[in-house]
Amino acid sequence: MQVINHDTALSKEVIKTLLYFDIFNYPLKGHEVHNFLSLKNSSEQDIVLSLNALVESKIIFRLGDFYSIQSNYKLVERRVQGNAEANKHLKIAKSKARFIAQFPFVRAVMASGSLSKGYMDKKSDLDFFVVTKPGRLWIARTLLVMYKRIFLNNSHREFCVNYFVDTLHLEIEEKNLFTATELATLIPLYNQKVYSDLQSSNPWQKDFLPNFRQRNSAHEEKLIFNPAIRLIEMLLNIFGQGLDNFFMRLTFKRWNKIYGDRYGHTDFNIAFKTKKYVSKNHPKNYQKTILDLLQCKLVNFQNQFNQFGNHE
């Protein structure tokens, strides 16, 4: 067997990828490590050789078909159960996406969050990434949130719409490993063309995930023309710009009142992004939390094995 130097760029990136998913206690298969690797020009065979060499050196562990930083088979059992739950919830997500697509000014719906990674458990929400008509994002968002509060008792479990962009502003502004992973794993459920436009509008994600490929339309619901919804859009357009601005200001005021004291200015504006063309509502500020946890894991791993250099 080819000998792999544990201090090579490849082995470092393999370990970094496993550490990232270890934040979620989620072991990976060899081809998944390849998919999420930040290093270009590495074949799946190269990855497997590196993984096996790291296992032999007891730096990582092989758990059946999976690889992990932890030697804990319960993580595999947890993942297998979570994968099965995700398959069940994907059917629910498709139904929910079809429903969301019926709301005024919604132009595309994608599954995000844990479902898009193929995992669901009792604590997981069913998250959706929604694309709207330009200039009407906050009307669409407000109608969806009102529905959730009135008819679903504000439950996030199977109806969490926390990220919106419009069709003219598909580029994600925060460019890092977390956002690249979230973007790459989106599952198109309604309007494959807009999903493809979203992916092509963010070529920077290849700097973080050069091996990841765009998802196909296997789970996509057919485009639906509903004349009643189009009529409602026409009526709402009478007050369009003013109404959209009003809902944006109202939402920002509410978020600032509830969460403003918990975050610094920069973190608040990222966790609760409020612009005419984008809305993000992440009270736990997962982006910063996950990236900070990854940095801690990298430092701890470096101290344990003394094999990492500088990390950014």
Side-chain angles (χ1 to χ4, degrees):
M1 177 180 291
Q2 178 182 350
V3 176
I4 301 292
N5 180 359
H6 299 151
D7 200 39
T8 64
L10 176 58
S11 63
K12 289 179 181 179
E13 288 301 325
V14 165
I15 293 170
K16 181 179 177 181
T17 301
L18 290 175
L19 285 171
Y20 185 87
F21 282 89
D22 190 61
I23 294 171
F24 311 98
N25 291 313
Y26 197 78
L28 297 176
K29 293 184 177 181
H31 74 274
E32 292 170 333
V33 175
H34 178 260
N35 285 345
F36 290 104
L37 199 73
S38 294
L39 194 66
K40 298 179 180 179
N41 303 319
S42 298
S43 67
E44 288 191 33
Q45 183 179 10
D46 292 333
I47 304 304
V48 171
L49 288 172
S50 180
L51 285 166
N52 289 339
L54 290 167
V55 170
E56 289 179 6
S57 299
K58 297 183 179 180
I59 294 176
I60 66 171
F61 301 92
R62 184 190 294 117
L63 310 172
D65 295 331
F66 301 90
Y67 297 90
S68 176
I69 297 297
Q70 303 181 55
S71 179
N72 184 356
Y73 274 92
K74 289 185 178 180
L75 296 181
V76 173
E77 296 174 6
R78 175 182 176 273
R79 171 176 168 166
V80 171
Q81 292 174 359
N83 292 161
E85 283 299 314
N87 286 333
K88 295 177 184 177
H89 277 80
L90 187 55
K91 297 178 181 178
I92 299 173
K94 291 171 65 176
S95 175
K96 297 293 184 182
R98 185 167 59 248
F99 179 71
I100 292 170
Q102 294 296 300
F103 276 69
F105 307 119
V106 171
R107 297 297 182 258
V109 184
M110 302 155 215
S112 59
S114 59
L115 178 62
S116 68
K117 318 299 183 299
Y119 179 87
M120 291 288 287
D121 61 24
K122 294 180 179 180
K123 297 180 180 180
S124 302
D125 296 332
L126 204 52
D127 296 308
F128 294 97
F129 185 101
V130 181
V131 183
T132 73
K133 178 180 176 179
R136 302 294 182 266
L137 182 151
W138 291 94
I139 295 176
R141 184 193 180 280
T142 300
L143 292 173
L144 283 163
V145 170
M146 286 175 62
Y147 167 81
K148 184 179 71 171
R149 289 179 181 169
I150 295 171
F151 296 101
L152 301 179
N153 197 28
N154 206 30
S155 172
H156 294 269
R157 173 62 178 165
E158 293 185 355
F159 200 89
C160 188
V161 283
N162 56 18
Y163 209 132
F164 292 76
V165 297
D166 73 35
T167 55
L168 293 183
H169 300 86
L170 296 174
E171 182 179 1
I172 304 302
E173 294 176 337
E174 291 79 34
K175 297 173 175 59
N176 52 57
L177 179 59
F178 176 83
T179 52
T181 303
E182 296 305 300
L183 181 61
T185 54
L186 289 173
I187 301 174
L189 298 177
Y190 174 75
N191 202 336
Q192 176 77 20
K193 182 182 182 306
V194 172
Y195 164 79
S196 297
D197 291 343
L198 174 68
Q199 296 297 330
S200 61
S201 296
N202 291 277
W204 59 267
Q205 68 177 300
K206 290 295 183 182
D207 294 335
F208 296 93
L209 301 175
N211 302 318
F212 212 97
R213 297 293 175 262
Q214 184 172 307
R215 296 282 179 88
N216 61 38
S217 58
H219 304 293
E220 183 190 17
E221 292 293 310
K222 293 183 179 179
L223 288 171
I224 304 165
F225 176 77
N226 188 329
I229 297 301
R230 297 300 171 253
L231 177 60
I232 293 173
E233 288 187 1
M234 290 175 61
L235 294 174
L236 288 171
N237 276 331
I238 297 173
F239 310 96
Q241 196 67 28
L243 190 61
D244 200 73
N245 290 337
F246 171 76
F247 284 142
M248 181 180 71
R249 290 193 299 267
L250 185 67
T251 303
F252 179 78
K253 184 177 180 180
R254 179 176 181 273
W255 286 345
N256 193 46
K257 180 179 180 180
I258 298 174
Y259 304 106
D261 293 337
R262 303 185 191 180
Y263 299 95
H265 179 74
T266 300
D267 288 341
F268 179 84
N269 287 335
I270 292 175
F272 300 93
K273 187 175 285 293
T274 309
K275 299 182 180 182
K276 281 292 294 179
Y277 54 85
V278 59
S279 168
K280 182 170 68 169
N281 176 17
H282 290 170
K284 296 183 180 179
N285 200 4
Y286 280 120
Q287 179 179 159
K288 185 178 188 304
T289 299
I290 298 304
L291 292 177
D292 286 350
L293 284 172
L294 176 61
Q295 185 62 29
C296 287
K297 281 182 171 290
L298 289 168
V299 171
N300 290 338
F301 210 84
Q302 176 186 354
N303 292 337
Q304 182 179 359
F305 292 99
N306 193 29
Q307 71 170 56
F308 282 104
N310 186 35
H311 297 286
E312 297 181 358

